[in-house]
Amino acid sequence: MEKPNFYPRIKRLHEDAADRDLLKMPNNTNGQSSTLASFIWRNADDLWGDFRHTEFGKIILPFTLLRRLECVLEPTREQALETVADLADQDIDLGVVLRQITGYPFYNTSNYTLGTLGATRTRQNLEDYIAKFSDNARVIFEQFDFANTIARMDKQGVLYRICQNFADTDLHPDTVPERVMSNIYEHLIRRFGAEVNEAAEDFMTPRDVVHLAIELLLDPDDELFVSNPGLIRTLYDPTCGTGGFLSDGMEHVQSLRDRYSIAPVVVPHGQELEPETHAVCLAGMLLKTLESDPGRDLSQNIKLGSTLSNDQYSNERFHYCISNPPFGKKWDKDQDAVVREHSEKKFEGRFGPKLPRVSDGSMLFLLHLISKLETPERGGGRAAIVLSGSPLFNGNAGQGESEIRRFLLENDYVEAIIALPTEIFFRTGIGTYIWILSNKKDDARQGKVQLIDATSLYTQMRKSEGNKKRAISGEQTRQIVDAYSAFEPTDTSKIFDYEEFGYRRVKVLRPLRMKIVITEDGFDSLDTDKAWNKLSDTQKEAWTSTLIAHAGQEHEYDWLESFAKSAAKKNASLGKVGKPLIKALVGAFGVRDSDADPVLDGKGDIVPDDSLTDFESVPLSTSIEGYMESEVLPWADDAYVDKSYRDDQDDDVGVVGYEISFNRYFYQYQPPRDLHVIDADLKAVEADIAVLLEEVTE
């Protein structure tokens, strides 16, 4: 089947890039255009002095949402009010009728708008206005605690002015498309994020990353959409924020509308922790409709609460899942619930493998998404998740992070991992990665993992936004998606058997080789030993006298124990000789000697030297014996493997671990510069220093 034309989608990405640089919104008052920045600061200027800077966001953001909803209802407002008056005395569900009139799953029955509140009873009228929204819209303002904000604004005398400012701004979707509004919300939350969500922009996903992740997630099923007109699929984001991923996913399939008689449908679902960002997402979903079910209230699909400890979709699965969990955020607040689910449900729950350290919960979301994928029997599912670099390699073999990677790789859930450019997020310049997960891999991808190095695919931004200095353009998005779809090895796309990321962490021991030498330093170290200090002063003196007679003499390791026991039998003042005392004496007077014979225990087994214990990572494709022969024994011919150190799952020698190192697979050797070039640079620097010194001494 011919691959669909991607021009409409690429064009949309170009438009988004332009919107990021300059978001223009017509101003109905003066007929001129004003940028988003001037729109925000016009209100900020009016608030300055009466409110702290950190409070601006909780005022401006809900007013923006209110005006957006108002603009949508404006064309049907008069008809809605007339209907309310006509049906006032009838026993009929007004909500059903009003939703049909507005064409949206919400409505308002107040006679007021932002422009008609009046200057004398502004607060009372605005409260009436908000109270007469349908429940699903009113909850948005409740989550902002907007009633208290209104009261404060009224007290400070700025409420009417702010209402008028917003009343003069057209935010109707026909004027300000959804993608532009998403940028506005993003800007507001980042600009005034301190009070909405501490360090909010840490967790905001830039629009270019949103587009890329959605394209990677949905692009492989475009042919499925072509073959099944009107196909309905579900999309789920457990950390949905303002709903950027969900909105973009819906736009993806809507862009297919021009090519197919019946466009596919993506039904969004999400959960968000922060009430304010949850409210923004609710507002966005109230304005969306499904062609197959136009009366459906999609805002009901957006839940509030912590996904890790309060999964509100616990019994549901989805065709597509997507997430950008916060990087490096502790999950201590969810710890009790997560640990309980892990211990009680094991692999029947979400967190079957060992758990990661509490300092970073991002890998818990990897497991959560896997649990949410539609079952293979029902067509399977695919997920995309944006993560920092640490989930690729943190944790040793047997620890939680490695065990999670093991679970994902050995169950063949990982399709691809894409390394993104640095400096593309707002408050961090670190490297980030998109993981593509699936439980319905194509035959060619079975047992394989594709790594894509897209770190060089970026466009330098004309103006930095915090740490975000780079963006991924539409063409670059297409390049990355094409590389993923092609599934072919290139310089920037490499394909591996999943076992190539695995290894066995083998414990390597060396024999203890030691002699006994009675020295003054040894007596000094005895003074800090617990077993020695439990002796009485009389016993200490007796032992000192007994041992000092052998000062400077070298003895075999096993001489000390037999000597001590024999001496104790002859001299009662020495007391009983137990293992703790023998250990203390050996620790004080034992001297390692590489030429000494290995120490043997009572059973004749070699006693290992704990100070020489080491661990080796043996690739799963290599035998432990072969690895030891080539990599260890040439340098330590007495080394041997501790066969008691075994894996909990397969009980073989060595603990299995997995890690994924992009640098190892994509490293390109850069030869050093010629010496004469380096010398010339040094001379040039010296000349510059000389000139500066002359200026200082003049």
Side-chain angles (χ1 to χ4, degrees):
M1 184 174 294
E2 183 180 353
K3 189 72 174 175
N5 174 23
F6 291 100
Y7 174 75
R9 203 172 302 147
I10 294 174
K11 179 175 181 291
R12 175 165 59 88
L13 295 174
H14 280 305
E15 291 170 347
D16 288 330
D19 291 333
R20 282 195 301 273
D21 291 333
L22 184 64
L23 302 175
K24 292 187 175 182
M25 299 182 297
N27 186 304
N28 292 340
T29 302
N30 54 28
Q32 298 176 348
S33 291
S34 63
T35 64
L36 170 61
S38 67
F39 168 74
I40 290 177
W41 281 110
R42 181 180 64 186
N43 290 282
D45 288 342
D46 288 337
L47 296 171
W48 198 270
D50 297 307
F51 292 88
R52 295 192 306 273
H53 178 270
T54 54
E55 296 177 308
F56 292 173
K58 278 203 171 182
I59 298 172
I60 294 176
L61 191 54
F63 267 105
T64 303
L65 299 174
L66 177 56
R67 179 55 180 162
R68 177 77 159 177
L69 299 180
E70 179 176 273
C71 289
V72 168
L73 295 179
E74 180 60 29
T76 60
R77 192 173 75 86
E78 292 300 329
Q79 184 181 355
L81 292 177
E82 291 174 2
T83 302
V84 170
D86 292 342
L87 301 179
D89 298 327
Q90 299 186 32
D91 185 15
I92 190 171
D93 187 348
L94 276 173
V96 174
V97 178
L98 293 176
R99 290 184 182 95
Q100 292 177 345
I101 292 174
T102 65
Y104 291 94
F106 71 101
Y107 56 87
N108 186 288
T109 60
S110 174
N111 291 313
Y112 297 109
T113 66
L114 284 174
T116 63
L117 294 173
T120 56
R121 291 177 51 84
T122 309
R123 178 175 65 83
Q124 293 87 340
N125 294 342
L126 181 56
E127 289 172 346
D128 176 82
Y129 181 24
I130 293 173
K132 290 184 177 177
F133 270 106
S134 53
D135 293 346
N136 53 358
R138 191 169 60 252
V139 68
I140 294 170
F141 306 101
E142 292 172 354
Q143 290 184 183
F144 276 102
D145 193 21
F146 200 41
N148 286 330
T149 300
I150 292 171
R152 287 190 59 198
M153 293 175 68
D154 184 52
K155 184 177 180 180
Q156 298 298 332
V158 297
L159 180 59
Y160 179 70
R161 186 160 62 249
I162 297 298
C163 289
Q164 290 301 112
N165 288 348
F166 278 93
D168 290 339
T169 305
D170 186 0
L171 296 180
H172 193 281
D174 292 342
T175 304
V176 186
E178 177 62 28
R179 66 175 183 275
V180 180
M181 280 306 304
S182 295
N183 290 330
I184 293 174
Y185 299 146
E186 177 184 280
H187 181 98
L188 287 173
I189 292 176
R190 287 193 296 111
R191 180 71 189 183
F192 303 117
E195 80 287 355
V196 174
N197 180 2
E198 184 179 359
E201 58 189 42
D202 282 343
F203 316 129
M204 303 264 329
T205 312
R207 304 302 299 172
D208 49 338
V209 179
V210 169
H211 293 321
L212 173 60
I214 284 293
E215 295 298 309
L216 289 165
L217 181 65
L218 299 183
D219 179 87
D221 282 351
D222 276 357
E223 292 187 11
L224 177 67
F225 293 140
V226 173
S227 305
N228 299 272
L231 184 67
I232 298 176
R233 284 291 183 263
T234 53
L235 174 63
Y236 168 69
D237 182 351
T239 56
C240 64
T242 61
F245 280 128
L246 300 177
S247 295
D248 209 76
M250 297 179 74
E251 286 191 19
H252 176 101
V253 296
Q254 287 171 1
S255 69
L256 307 176
R257 185 181 304 276
D258 294 338
R259 294 191 293 278
Y260 316 121
S261 56
I262 303 176
V265 174
V266 166
V267 183
H269 300 75
Q271 186 164 336
E272 169 58 23
L273 175 64
E274 298 295 335
E276 291 83 2
T277 44
H278 175 256
V280 175
C281 189
L282 290 181
M285 290 300 153
L286 282 176
L287 304 183
K288 296 184 180 301
T289 58
L290 300 176
E291 185 174 355
S292 60
D293 188 6
R296 184 170 181 175
D297 180 4
L298 296 179
S299 72
Q300 299 301 307
N301 291 358
I302 310 302
K303 310 299 183 180
L304 178 65
S306 173
T307 296
L308 296 181
S309 59
N310 183 20
D311 177 17
Q312 298 194 35
Y313 286 102
S314 58
N315 298 316
E316 296 190 42
R317 291 174 176 263
F318 305 92
H319 300 104
Y320 306 107
C321 299
I322 192 163
S323 177
N324 175 26
F327 303 152
K329 186 179 180 182
K330 293 181 179 180
W331 52 281
D332 51 334
K333 293 181 180 179
D334 300 304
Q335 187 173 6
D336 289 345
V338 171
V339 171
R340 184 168 55 253
E341 180 174 343
H342 166 71
S343 60
E344 293 178 357
K345 295 186 177 182
K346 304 296 184 182
F347 286 92
E348 293 182 1
R350 295 174 293 168
F351 310 120
K354 291 182 179 178
L355 301 176
R357 282 163 285 191
V358 177
S359 58
D360 185 357
S362 56
M363 295 192 79
L364 293 176
F365 285 96
L366 273 168
L367 295 175
H368 176 77
L369 290 188
I370 290 297
S371 75
K372 292 301 177 186
L373 296 179
E374 184 58 87
T375 61
E377 296 76 16
R378 295 172 59 88
R382 184 184 298 110
I385 183 171
V386 184
L387 297 169
S388 65
S390 59
L392 294 169
F393 53 78
N394 59 353
N396 291 325
Q399 292 183 328
E401 294 85 356
S402 180
E403 286 296 289
I404 292 173
R405 286 190 293 272
R406 180 180 186 177
F407 170 76
L408 295 174
L409 291 166
E410 291 187 352
N411 286 280
D412 206 15
Y413 287 128
V414 183
E415 276 202 354
I417 304 174
I418 299 93
L420 303 181
T422 56
E423 299 181 322
I424 60 170
F425 277 79
F426 298 115
R427 284 190 55 154
T428 179
I430 64 173
T432 50
Y433 301 79
I434 297 178
W435 294 51
I436 306 298
L437 310 171
S438 176
N439 61 4
K440 59 170 186 177
K441 282 188 175 183
D442 295 338
D443 291 343
R445 290 186 181 268
Q446 295 289 327
K448 306 289 184 182
V449 177
Q450 182 183 15
L451 301 185
I452 298 174
D453 179 12
T455 55
S456 63
L457 293 177
Y458 62 85
T459 301
Q460 205 70 31
M461 294 175 61
R462 287 176 290 178
K463 184 179 180 181
S464 299
E465 298 181 47
N467 285 86
K468 184 172 176 61
K469 299 177 175 63
R470 298 168 172 175
I472 302 173
S473 69
E475 292 90 342
Q476 291 159 342
T477 294
R478 192 69 248 158
Q479 284 180 259
I480 297 169
V481 175
D482 285 345
Y484 165 61
S485 299
F487 192 59
E488 296 175 352
T490 66
D491 289 342
T492 57
S493 170
K494 299 184 183 296
I495 300 168
F496 301 89
D497 292 329
Y498 80 86
E499 289 186 339
E500 294 183 61
F501 304 121
Y503 63 92
R504 285 190 181 274
R505 189 170 189 254
V506 176
K507 191 175 184 178
V508 178
L509 305 177
R510 300 277 301 280
L512 177 64
R513 299 176 185 273
M514 182 174 283
K515 59 186 178 183
I516 302 299
V517 181
I518 308 301
T519 63
E520 186 66 29
D521 290 341
F523 283 110
D524 290 341
S525 67
L526 271 179
D527 290 337
T528 62
D529 187 271
K530 291 182 179 180
W532 175 260
N533 286 317
K534 287 183 178 180
L535 300 178
S536 67
D537 291 342
T538 301
Q539 289 172 321
K540 288 181 181 179
E541 290 177 5
W543 275 113
T544 301
S545 299
T546 301
L547 292 167
I548 207 167
H550 294 268
Q553 300 177 20
E554 291 188 5
H555 299 275
E556 296 294 328
Y557 175 86
D558 55 3
W559 167 84
L560 183 58
E561 183 173 359
S562 60
F563 168 77
K565 290 181 178 179
S566 175
K569 288 181 180 180
K570 297 176 181 178
N571 187 354
S573 62
L574 294 175
K576 294 183 179 180
V577 178
K579 289 184 178 180
L581 181 59
I582 295 297
K583 184 177 180 181
L585 295 176
V586 170
F589 302 114
V591 178
R592 284 176 172 78
D593 182 358
S594 59
D595 294 327
D597 292 333
V599 175
L600 304 180
D601 62 17
K603 297 180 180 179
D605 297 326
I606 294 175
V607 175
D609 187 340
D610 292 340
S611 68
L612 297 179
T613 297
D614 200 2
F615 292 88
E616 294 287 335
S617 296
V618 182
L620 291 181
S621 58
T622 302
S623 71
I624 295 175
E625 294 77 9
Y627 183 92
M628 290 289 292
E629 185 175 341
S630 62
E631 302 296 332
V632 178
L633 295 179
W635 292 271
D637 58 3
D638 60 353
Y640 61 100
V641 174
D642 182 357
K643 294 186 178 180
S644 68
Y645 186 69
R646 292 176 172 269
D647 185 74
D648 289 339
Q649 293 190 40
D650 61 22
D651 200 36
D652 283 343
V653 175
V655 178
V656 173
Y658 284 87
E659 66 177 20
I660 303 169
S661 173
F662 266 75
N663 290 337
R664 182 190 309 164
Y665 304 123
F666 292 98
Y667 172 76
Q668 293 184 349
Y669 172 72
Q670 297 292 334
R673 295 183 300 163
D674 292 337
L675 288 177
H676 72 275
V677 175
I678 297 174
D679 187 54
D681 286 347
L682 289 174
K683 289 180 178 178
V685 172
E686 290 173 353
D688 290 340
I689 293 173
V691 171
L692 293 173
L693 288 174
E694 288 179 6
E695 293 177 356
V696 172
T697 56
E698 286 180 356

